[in-house]
Amino acid sequence: MRWALVKVSLAVTTMVVVAFAVPLGLVIRELARDRAFSNAEREAAAVAPALSITTDRDELERVVASAGSDAGMAVHLPAGDGQEALELGRRRAAEADIAAVRKLGRASTTGVAGGSTLLQPVALSTGKIAVVEVYVPESDVTNGVGTAWAVLAAVGVALILGSVAVADRLGVRMVRPAQRLVEGAHDLGEGRLGARVPEEGPSELRLAAAAFNSMADQVVQLLANERELAADLSHRLRTPLTVLRLNTASLGEGPAADQTRTAVEQLEREVDTIIRTAREAKPQTAAAGPGAGCDAAEVVRERMAFWSALAEDEGRKWRVAGADRPVRIPVARADLAAALDALLGNVFRHTAEGTAFAVDVHNGEDAVIVLVSDAGPGIPDPEAAMARGRGSGSDGSTGLGLDIVRRLAESTGGDVRIGSSVLGGTEVRIWIQLDGRAPATGGHRQPRRRRPGRLAAAYHRSRSR
């Protein structure tokens, strides 16, 4: 592109220079010729008054000498009244040309060796016609033409070089952003996801660079979401693994039971490895659209029916409150089920057998609170537990379960808090906004705080029980 622009500029400027310089050079040459012959006409006109008065040779020689160089001027007097034809100076024109001028009575120019001659007829007092010949050398005709043409050529070359330089700079200004765009696309194609393009150059290239950077961000986000999904799906496998591990406790002793327990432990380790090696990213859980979502109470009842069987096997007391009426939330059913399974799985995994737990649902005008509490030892550092990939510090804890819950809440504009429950252990509070606001792009944002009066009152009453 750069060299194409330079070639086009070179061709256009050359044509413009030629179109103007050639006619101007011809005009300058004609002006020099006209100037030389005008000077010759003035010299011939200076002799004409003397010829009309006298034809004396001595007088005419003095007049010719005063009018100009006698080497470049000649006077041709015809014969008559007993006088012979008289010629003063050096004759260069042919006799036929002189006779033609005398006969026609008008000035004429003719070419001679080394230049041209001006033949000017002059009427004598006797009625005869004399001819004044003025020699115009070729050097006078071309005087200053070469210099003028050299100046024109220099100006033309300067214009061409200047246009090429300007075109080259413009080409660089256009080509460099285009090259960076090509390099960025190549880097992105090679897998370097951090490749970005500076938004500079012409407006079209700036828009292209902005579109490329936006596309690259989307690619990175899509890859992060896909890897995040792989980690989350792996984490969901821990729920049935927890059931298998708890069921193996009832197998008793024997080679088959030991092999089953060993296989379950190995499978749990493999799942933990998959979770930890998945790329760290923070994709967003898709919030349900208008009119979509699920019934939180129904999902709570369904998941508690699943976990209650395990709770009875381990002698755990459990309680569900607030799930007797429909509670619509802007969250996909599968996402809410995965979040509840993650929290209840943590209760069974990190608390001793016989530890009680409860799930409470509080429905307000603009938010829904889901509380999962237990009577276990609690979490010493809630902030560390909420940090993705760190977990609570105990064996088998990756921190992804709480992160799944947090992303679900933040996808609606809510949040997740960890505190102490009335049962004496850990309480995880999921605050779900009912207006279904999507999360901000590029990370977790701080949700907007509201004060749902009746919901807050119900929440505090549940904690005081």
Side-chain angles (χ1 to χ4, degrees):
M1 180 186 295
R2 174 183 176 184
W3 294 116
L5 184 61
V6 171
K7 290 179 181 178
V8 170
S9 176
L10 177 63
V12 172
T13 308
T14 301
M15 288 189 294
V16 171
V17 169
V18 170
F20 281 93
V22 171
L24 187 58
L26 296 177
V27 169
I28 291 174
R29 188 180 67 176
E30 290 300 320
L31 289 176
R33 179 181 177 83
D34 292 342
R35 181 179 66 249
F37 280 96
S38 295
N39 292 335
E41 288 176 357
R42 284 195 297 270
E43 292 179 5
V47 180
L51 290 174
S52 62
I53 296 174
T54 181
T55 58
D56 183 68
R57 183 183 183 92
D58 295 335
E59 291 292 334
L60 292 177
E61 287 179 350
R62 286 196 297 271
V63 172
V64 169
S66 62
S69 174
D70 54 356
M73 181 180 291
V75 179
H76 307 285
L77 297 175
D81 297 335
Q83 294 183 353
E84 296 181 356
L86 179 62
E87 290 189 1
L88 301 176
R90 178 184 175 184
R91 181 169 65 85
R92 292 179 174 83
E95 185 64 32
D97 294 332
I98 296 174
V101 170
R102 185 177 286 124
K103 180 179 180 181
L104 297 175
R106 61 171 180 265
S108 175
T109 59
T110 181
V112 296
S116 302
T117 59
L118 171 67
L119 301 177
Q120 180 70 42
V122 178
L124 302 176
S125 58
T126 60
K128 300 291 184 178
I129 300 298
V131 177
V132 179
E133 177 185 349
V134 179
Y135 173 63
V136 181
E138 188 66 27
S139 59
D140 291 348
V141 175
T142 60
N143 184 28
V145 175
T147 302
W149 282 10
V151 172
L152 286 177
V155 172
V157 171
L159 288 176
I160 293 174
L161 294 178
S163 67
V164 169
V166 172
D168 181 71
R169 291 299 90 195
L170 291 176
V172 169
R173 184 172 177 267
M174 295 179 62
V175 170
R176 282 183 179 174
Q179 288 177 342
R180 292 193 180 101
L181 188 59
V182 171
E183 293 172 356
H186 183 268
D187 291 341
L188 188 63
E190 292 292 329
R192 291 184 282 273
L193 301 181
R196 296 297 183 271
V197 179
E199 298 178 11
E200 58 185 17
S203 58
E204 293 81 3
L205 291 177
R206 288 199 301 270
L207 293 175
F212 174 83
N213 292 336
S214 177
M215 178 194 69
D217 293 338
Q218 291 295 326
V219 169
V220 172
Q221 185 66 26
L222 289 174
L223 291 176
N225 289 346
E226 189 164 342
R227 295 174 184 270
E228 181 72 23
L229 179 61
D232 291 347
L233 292 177
S234 300
H235 189 273
R236 293 185 185 186
L237 291 176
R238 302 189 68 175
T239 297
L241 284 177
T242 301
V243 177
L244 290 176
R245 181 173 60 82
L246 295 176
N247 287 338
T248 55
S250 62
L251 294 179
E253 300 297 332
D258 293 339
Q259 291 176 0
T260 303
R261 282 189 285 269
T262 302
V264 171
E265 292 175 357
Q266 182 178 0
L267 186 56
E268 282 186 329
R269 287 194 297 270
E270 294 296 334
V271 171
D272 291 343
T273 302
I274 294 174
I275 294 173
R276 289 192 178 94
T277 55
R279 172 175 293 184
E280 288 293 331
K282 295 187 179 298
Q284 304 296 337
T285 301
C294 68
D295 182 357
E298 181 182 356
V299 176
V300 168
R301 292 195 301 269
E302 176 186 321
R303 301 319 300 160
M304 286 300 295
F306 172 81
W307 290 100
S308 62
L310 296 177
E312 292 178 0
D313 291 341
E314 294 190 356
R316 296 176 182 265
K317 294 182 180 180
W318 57 274
R319 176 180 56 82
V320 177
D324 52 343
R325 295 180 182 180
V327 180
R328 298 294 302 181
I329 59 174
V331 173
R333 182 186 186 91
D335 291 341
L336 179 59
L340 289 174
D341 285 342
L343 294 179
L344 295 175
N346 286 341
V347 172
F348 279 81
R349 187 176 300 109
H350 302 297
T351 62
E353 295 185 6
T355 302
F357 65 95
V359 177
D360 298 274
V361 180
H362 302 281
N363 188 13
E365 294 180 357
D366 57 359
V368 171
I369 292 178
V370 178
L371 299 174
V372 178
S373 54
D374 61 64
I379 298 178
D381 191 352
E383 293 184 0
M386 291 297 297
R388 180 176 179 80
R390 293 176 59 183
S392 62
S394 60
D395 294 337
S397 177
T398 62
L400 288 179
L402 288 174
D403 188 71
I404 293 174
V405 178
R406 176 173 59 183
R407 286 187 291 105
L408 178 138
E410 290 184 349
S411 69
T412 67
D415 64 357
V416 175
R417 296 288 182 88
I418 298 178
S420 299
S421 71
V422 294
L423 299 178
T426 302
E427 177 187 85
V428 180
R429 188 206 68 178
I430 310 173
W431 189 295
I432 300 174
Q433 291 292 144
L434 295 182
D435 53 10
R437 293 190 304 275
T441 303
H444 298 297
R445 63 178 176 83
Q446 291 296 330
R448 185 178 61 183
R449 302 299 182 194
R450 295 190 178 183
R451 295 180 178 271
R454 285 185 288 179
L455 178 60
Y459 169 62
H460 289 298
R461 284 198 302 272
S462 68
R463 291 180 57 84
S464 63
R465 289 200 297 264

